Amino acid sequence: MTQALQASKGRTSIAFAATAALLVASVVLSLAIGSRALSLDEIWRGLTGSDPVASAVIWQLRFPRTLLGLLVGAALGAAGVLAQAVTRNPLADPGLLGISSGAAVSIVAGTAFLGIGGGAGRMVLAVAGAALATLIVFAFASRSPEGLSPISMTLAGMAITACLGAVVSAIVLLDAESMDQYRFWQVGALSLPDPRLLWIGAAVALVGAIVAAAISGSLGALALGDDTASALGVKVGRTRVLAGAAVVLLSGMAVALAGPIGFIGLVIPHAARVFVGNDVRRTLALSALLGPLLLTVADIIGRVVVRPAELQVGVVTAVIGTPVFIWLTRRMRARKGA
C-alpha cells in the first residue's frame, strides 16, 4: 500500500513538473511565433527593451495575448472540473451547458441595445448572462422525466446553447456595428478589445479560484452521492451553489475576455484525471495548468496554419475537442449498456 501511494505521488509530481515545463515552453513559442518570427535573443532584447522593434511586438501585441491565453485557459480548465464534479456528468462543460452562450448573448445584447461594450460593464454582463443561463439549464433539466441526470442536463444545455447562439446571430445581423465588432470574437479569439479587462478579469478569476479551492474537498465527497456526502458532514446544497457560482465567475470572465471558446472545459479535466486520478483537488490544480497549455498551443497553431492570416483559437479548439466529445459520448453509452 505504501509503495503504491508513493508511486501515485511520484506520478503526480512528474505530471505537474512536465506540464509546468511545457507551459513555459508554450509561452516562449507564443512570444516568438507570429507574422514576424523572433529568435530567443530577440525575445530577450525585446523583454529588456534593448531592441525597440522587438520590444513593441512583444509588449504591445504578444505578451498581452499570451497572458490572456494563460488566464482564460486556466479559468476554463478549472470551470470544467467544477462543472463535471458538481453534476457528476463527464460531459459537463461551460460551453455545452449553455453557460458560455449565456455570457455571450448578454454581452452582445448589452453592446447593441445598451451601449455597454467595455470595462467593468462588459464583465458584469458576462457574469450575469452566465448565471441566468445556468439557472435556465437547471430548470429545464429538472423538469425532465429523468430529473437532473447527466443526459438531461447535457441535452438541456445543448438546446439552450443553440437557442442563444441564434439570438446572438440575429442581433449581430440586425446591428452592423455589432457584427463588425463581434464576427471574430463570436467563435473565440485571443484579441482583447480593452486591455483594462485583463486586470478586471484576473480579479474575477481570483475570486472564482478561491471559491473553487475552498470547496474542492467537499466536491470529492459529492462523487460518492449526496447521502454519503451528507453523512460525511458535507453541506450538499451549499457546496453546489458555491460550485455553480465559481463556474459562472470563471466561465463568464473567460467569455468577456476571449469569447465563447469551447471544449477546453470538456477535454482538460479528462486529461488531468489520466495523470492524477479522480481526486478533485489534484485534478483542479493540474487542469489550471493544462488549460492554458492547450489554449496557448491552439493559438500558436492558429497563427501558423493559415499564415500570414490567423485562424481563431476557438476554431482550433473545436477541431481538437469535437472528436474527443464524440469518443466520450460513445464511451458513456457503452458503459450504460453494460
Side-chain angles (χ1 to χ4, degrees):
M1 181 67 71
T2 303
Q3 290 180 347
L5 183 60
Q6 289 178 347
S8 176
K9 289 183 177 179
R11 286 194 300 270
T12 299
S13 299
I14 292 173
F16 275 98
T19 303
L22 290 173
L23 184 58
V24 171
S26 71
V27 169
V28 174
L29 288 174
S30 180
L31 296 177
I33 296 175
S35 57
R36 181 198 171 189
L38 298 177
S39 65
L40 290 177
D41 181 59
E42 287 178 311
I43 292 175
W44 174 252
R45 286 189 281 113
L47 290 173
T48 58
S50 58
D51 185 335
V53 175
S55 181
V57 170
I58 289 175
W59 289 110
Q60 296 180 22
L61 300 174
R62 295 184 189 172
F63 191 72
R65 180 171 180 162
T66 302
L67 283 181
L68 178 61
L70 296 176
L71 180 61
V72 171
L76 291 177
V81 174
L82 295 173
Q84 292 176 14
V86 76
T87 62
R88 295 196 292 272
N89 180 2
L91 297 180
D93 163 75
L96 294 176
L97 292 179
I99 301 173
S100 296
S101 296
V105 73
S106 181
I107 291 174
V108 174
T111 302
F113 304 127
L114 301 177
I116 302 174
R122 181 185 179 121
M123 191 66 63
V124 171
L125 285 174
V127 173
L132 182 59
T134 302
L135 294 175
I136 294 173
V137 168
F138 271 84
F140 272 95
S142 63
R143 297 177 71 88
S144 71
E146 298 178 337
L148 284 173
S149 67
I151 297 298
S152 66
M153 290 188 63
T154 302
L155 292 176
M158 294 177 71
I160 296 300
T161 297
C163 178
L164 294 178
V167 172
V168 171
S169 298
I171 294 174
V172 298
L173 286 174
L174 292 173
D175 187 86
E177 183 179 351
S178 295
M179 183 174 68
D180 292 337
Q181 187 174 0
Y182 289 103
R183 56 180 176 160
F184 294 112
W185 173 85
Q186 190 175 348
V187 296
L190 298 181
S191 53
L192 192 64
D194 187 350
R196 294 174 299 171
L197 273 175
L198 188 59
W199 306 112
I200 297 173
V204 173
L206 179 60
V207 175
I210 292 173
V211 173
I215 62 172
S216 58
S218 299
L219 287 175
L222 279 183
L224 303 174
D226 291 355
D227 293 337
T228 303
S230 297
L232 293 173
V234 174
K235 297 180 180 179
V236 175
R238 175 177 173 272
T239 300
R240 291 190 187 279
V241 170
L242 289 175
V247 172
V248 165
L249 288 172
L250 293 170
S251 56
M253 179 278 301
V255 173
L257 266 59
I261 297 174
F263 294 105
I264 296 288
L266 172 67
V267 173
I268 290 301
H270 291 279
R273 293 187 194 102
V274 171
F275 299 104
V276 299
N278 294 320
D279 184 85
V280 175
R281 284 171 291 191
R282 288 183 294 180
T283 303
L284 190 64
L286 187 57
S287 294
L289 294 177
L290 287 173
L293 174 60
L294 176 57
L295 192 58
T296 304
V297 170
D299 185 43
I300 294 170
I301 293 173
R303 301 181 205 177
V304 173
V305 291
V306 291
R307 184 180 283 183
E310 291 186 3
L311 190 65
Q312 294 95 320
V313 69
V315 176
V316 180
T317 58
V319 171
I320 296 171
T322 298
V324 176
F325 174 70
I326 295 172
W327 174 75
L328 289 173
T329 305
R330 296 186 61 167
R331 187 181 182 188
M332 282 186 62
R333 289 180 178 176
R335 287 183 174 180
K336 189 175 182 179

